[in-house]
Amino acid sequence: MNLPNKLTIFRVLLIPVFVVFMLGDVAGSAGKWIALAVFIIASLTDLLDGKIARKYNLVTNFGKFMDPLADKLLVCSALICLVALERIPAWIVIVIIAREFIISGFRLIAVEGGLVIAASYWGKFKTTFQMVMVILMIMDIPQLAILTTIVMWIALILTVVSLIDYLWKNKQVLGDFK
């Protein structure tokens, strides 16, 4: 159990803490700010674990599996909380979560064929915009409403573009389905 894997596990353990502060009436009006801090810390562990793993050659199969899963769990949990708080339309969250299921399934098929599909720049941009969108929506500052809406639409567009990019660049994976 190396440091990057511990950071990944820490990120997963932060998810229920985030949800409790986001949806529960645990800390009153401070709850959303605590939830925001937890989300930002969890998001930063996503940046750190990958950098540390690559820099110090600590890449493991556990990390390859759990890191993207932890990222998806964090973002999807946040988005579901935001739907419950009526800060984002459910259909947008459905599109985002559907993309994650499609890519995960696609990667499983690729692995069975001996292919590893690396994250693309579109996917990294998508993740960045989704995390910024979540942060803005958690803050829920009326003066930032237009910016929040713009970031939401960019995140949604990048979600679809990154899906198309993955499928197009790796269409040979689906060759058996022709």
Side-chain angles (χ1 to χ4, degrees), residues 60-79:
T60 64
N61 285 335
F62 176 84
K64 288 179 192 174
F65 172 72
M66 277 305 296
D67 179 60
L69 182 60
D71 176 41
K72 288 171 182 36
L73 288 170
L74 175 64
V75 173
C76 290
S77 296
L79 291 172

Side-chain angles (χ1 to χ4, degrees), residues 34 98 117 134:
I34 295 169
I117 300 175
V134 168

Side-chain angles (χ1 to χ4, degrees), residues 75-84 87-101 130 133-134 137 152 156 159:
V75 173
C76 290
S77 296
L79 291 172
I80 291 167
C81 288
L82 291 166
V83 168
R87 295 187 193 161
I88 188 170
W91 72 267
I92 290 176
V93 174
I94 291 167
V95 169
I96 291 170
I97 292 174
R99 182 254 184 222
E100 299 307 331
F101 274 102
Q130 285 179 356
M133 174 188 73
V134 168
M137 288 183 174
M152 178 189 71
L156 179 64
T159 297

Side-chain angles (χ1 to χ4, degrees), residues 2 4-5 48-60:
N2 60 34
N5 290 343
L48 279 176
D49 63 9
K51 286 183 188 271
I52 293 169
R54 286 185 295 279
K55 182 175 182 178
Y56 296 103
N57 197 25
L58 297 172
V59 176
T60 64

Side-chain angles (χ1 to χ4, degrees), residues 11 41-51 67 71 127 131:
R11 183 164 66 255
I41 291 166
S43 297
L44 290 174
T45 67
D46 185 33
L47 287 173
L48 279 176
D49 63 9
K51 286 183 188 271
D67 179 60
D71 176 41
T127 299
M131 289 185 171

